[in-house]
């Protein structure tokens, strides 16, 4: 290990304050500017010098004064994230992906979660993030009223929204990044049609959510192309109890042969369906096939394992951060990533086949 100076303040005010960049420079025997270059990962620093500075930082337990850096550079290196409750798998997976991407680029993340999904609450949350001096905001709250809140808040920092808003006005201040929800629903519906199903019900997500709208559109488009009837069963929420209630309503139709497959708007709804069908004496997939959306970790361990649509959350998180940090802050076309179909044991040809 490279030796460094061991000079540290032992008395006076310096002995009772946190170590500064100047202290690191003194211990490492380099200039203040060299320490700054090492902290900012500048390439023009010799390896031996870099190692001395890093060792001095460790020896002194030095931590950067981010408040001072913000004053000097007008940047806080903090990204704000506005999201929904922790019970929603897709948004929370996206938040974790954004946080990992931000950390890899030297940014910190501050997260605010909404407890109500209205314009007023969303505006207050956005202003709360701005008051913390964030360099930009990523909104992972894919309900329709969030766009009204962004417009009304008149934010002065870059904003990226992770939501499947396929029609974006030219004057929209935000950029959009999302997984192609409509294509994912098409994939699930095409899979069921290819198995021979024509009586495919859709347990749709709650009203006012971009993803629910897009998934329903994708299902309807494929059913229309196949000249098959569109049987929609609306769900009040994204959670399993709503799927369970929908399943109870569908048991009789499945028994009468009026429904042979169900495409649920997410895996939580599909899990509720599986429970309702089991209680109603309906076998999956012998009597009815079930497909979901999201690919929860548990979905592969259900009985039967759930056929579903997988979303590339890491890719979306990285794309959202790249859009936020892009030097071109003008309005741009949405960044869209593709989902993939994961076929498991919960889908099979209809009973008549």
């Amino acid at each position: 290990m490279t030796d460094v100076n061991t000079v540290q303040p032992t008395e006076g005010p310096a002995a009772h304050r946190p170590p500064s960049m100047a202290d690191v420079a003194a211990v490492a025997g380099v200039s203040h500017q060299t320490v700054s270059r090492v902290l900012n990962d500048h390439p023009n620093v010799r390896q031996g010098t870099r190692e001395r500075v890093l060792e001095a930082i460790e020896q002194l337990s030095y931590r950067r004064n981010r408040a001072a850096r913000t004053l000097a550079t007008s940047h806080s290196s903090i990204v704000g994230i506005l999201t929904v409750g922790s019970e929603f798998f897709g948004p929370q997976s996206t938040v974790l992906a954004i946080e990992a991407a931000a950390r890899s680029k030297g940014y910190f993340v501050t997260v605010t979660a909404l407890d109500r999904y209205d314009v007023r609450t969303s505006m207050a949350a956005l202003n709360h993030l701005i008051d913390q001096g964030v360099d930009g905001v990523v909104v992972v709250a894919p309900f329709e009223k969030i766009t009204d809140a962004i417009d009304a808040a008149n934010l002065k920092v870059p904003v990226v929204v992770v939501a499947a808003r396929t029609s974006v006005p030219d004057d929209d201040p935000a950029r959009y990044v999302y997984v192609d929800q409509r294509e994912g629903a098409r994939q699930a519906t095409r899979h069921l049609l290819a198995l021979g199903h024509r009586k495919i019900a859709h347990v749709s997500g709650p009203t006012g959510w971009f993803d629910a709208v897009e998934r329903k559109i994708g299902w309807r488009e494929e059913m229309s192309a196949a000249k098959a009837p569109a049987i929609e069963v609306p769900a009040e929420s994204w959670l399993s109890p709503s799927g369970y209630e929908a399943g109870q309503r569908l048991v009789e139709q499945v028994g009468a042969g009026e429904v042979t497959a169900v495409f649920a708007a997410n895996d939580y709804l599909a899990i509720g369906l599986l429970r309702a069908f089991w209680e109603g004496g309906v076998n999956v997939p012998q009597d009815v096939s079930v497909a979901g959306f999201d690919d929860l970790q548990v979905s592969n361990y259900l009985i039967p394992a759930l056929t579903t649509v997988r979303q590339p959350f890491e890719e979306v998180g990285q794309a959202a951060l790249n859009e936020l940090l892009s030097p071109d802050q003008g309005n741009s076309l949405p960044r869209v990533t593709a989902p993939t179909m994961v076929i498991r044991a919960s889908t099979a040809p209809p009973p008549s086949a």
Side-chain angles (χ1 to χ4, degrees):
M1 181 179 290
T2 306
D3 290 333
V4 298
N5 299 321
T6 57
V7 178
Q8 298 188 59
T10 58
E11 57 183 358
H16 303 286
R17 61 168 171 75
S20 67
M21 195 181 295
D23 296 328
V24 174
V27 171
V30 298
S31 68
H32 179 282
Q33 289 80 4
T34 299
V35 176
S36 177
R37 290 192 186 98
V38 172
L39 290 170
N40 290 296
D41 202 23
H42 197 283
N44 295 336
V45 180
R46 292 181 179 179
Q47 186 60 31
T49 302
R50 186 183 302 276
E51 290 176 358
R52 290 209 313 277
V53 171
L54 292 175
E55 189 175 344
I57 288 171
E58 182 178 0
Q59 177 183 323
L60 296 174
S61 298
Y62 170 74
R63 295 292 182 269
R64 300 185 74 171
N65 186 335
R66 291 202 164 266
R69 185 172 184 268
T70 299
L71 289 173
T73 65
S74 299
H75 293 286
S76 64
S77 294
I78 300 174
V79 171
I81 299 179
L82 178 63
T83 188
V84 292
S86 60
E87 69 270 23
F88 299 110
F89 173 76
Q92 291 310 304
S93 297
T94 305
V95 168
L96 292 174
I98 294 168
E99 185 176 15
R103 191 167 56 247
S104 71
K105 293 182 179 295
Y107 280 78
F108 287 86
V109 167
T110 180
V111 179
T112 294
L114 295 168
D115 56 359
R116 291 193 302 273
Y117 308 131
D118 55 67
V119 174
R120 184 176 179 179
T121 304
S122 301
M123 281 184 61
L126 287 166
N127 288 324
H128 173 71
L129 290 172
I130 297 302
D131 289 343
Q132 296 181 54
V134 297
D135 289 338
V137 177
V138 182
V139 178
V140 190
F143 57 93
E144 293 174 349
K145 290 183 179 179
I146 193 64
T147 58
D148 296 331
I150 294 170
D151 291 340
N154 192 25
L155 304 177
K156 302 300 184 183
V157 299
V159 180
V160 171
V161 181
V162 181
R165 190 183 189 191
T166 53
S167 179
V168 181
D170 292 338
D171 60 349
D172 195 308
R175 295 181 175 192
Y176 287 82
V177 173
Y178 61 90
V179 176
D180 193 338
Q181 306 293 324
R182 193 178 301 189
E183 173 58 24
R186 285 172 175 159
Q187 290 179 14
T189 309
R190 284 198 296 264
H191 165 67
L192 294 170
L193 288 167
L195 289 172
H197 294 279
R198 289 297 179 273
K199 302 170 184 178
I200 304 170
H202 176 49
V203 177
S204 56
T207 57
W209 291 71
F210 288 117
D211 292 354
V213 170
E214 290 298 305
R215 293 171 192 177
K216 181 165 65 176
I217 290 173
W219 163 74
R220 281 191 178 277
E221 288 176 345
E222 290 298 322
M223 296 299 287
S224 177
K227 295 182 170 54
I231 306 164
E232 182 185 353
V233 183
E236 293 184 359
S237 78
W238 288 110
L239 304 180
S240 295
S242 290
Y244 177 76
E245 292 171 3
Q248 289 180 313
R249 283 179 274 162
L250 282 166
V251 164
E252 186 175 341
Q253 289 177 272
V254 172
E258 298 170 358
V259 171
T260 63
V262 183
F263 164 47
N266 77 350
D267 284 6
Y268 285 122
L269 293 172
I271 289 170
L273 281 169
L274 292 177
R275 175 60 184 259
F277 287 156
W278 176 76
E279 288 184 355
V282 174
N283 294 316
V284 178
Q286 293 86 350
D287 300 326
V288 63
S289 290
V290 176
F293 204 112
D294 278 342
D295 194 22
L296 300 175
Q297 185 178 25
V298 71
S299 297
N300 192 37
Y301 298 94
L302 299 172
I303 300 177
L306 183 65
T307 292
T308 186
V309 178
R310 179 179 295 159
Q311 301 199 64
F313 293 114
E314 290 185 9
E315 185 177 342
V316 171
Q318 185 67 61
L321 190 71
N322 289 343
E323 283 291 315
L324 192 72
L325 302 181
S326 171
D328 177 16
Q329 292 301 332
N331 185 268
S332 62
L333 294 174
R335 290 276 300 275
V336 185
T337 59
T340 55
M341 193 73 202
V342 181
I343 300 174
R344 299 192 179 110
S346 67
T347 52
S352 58

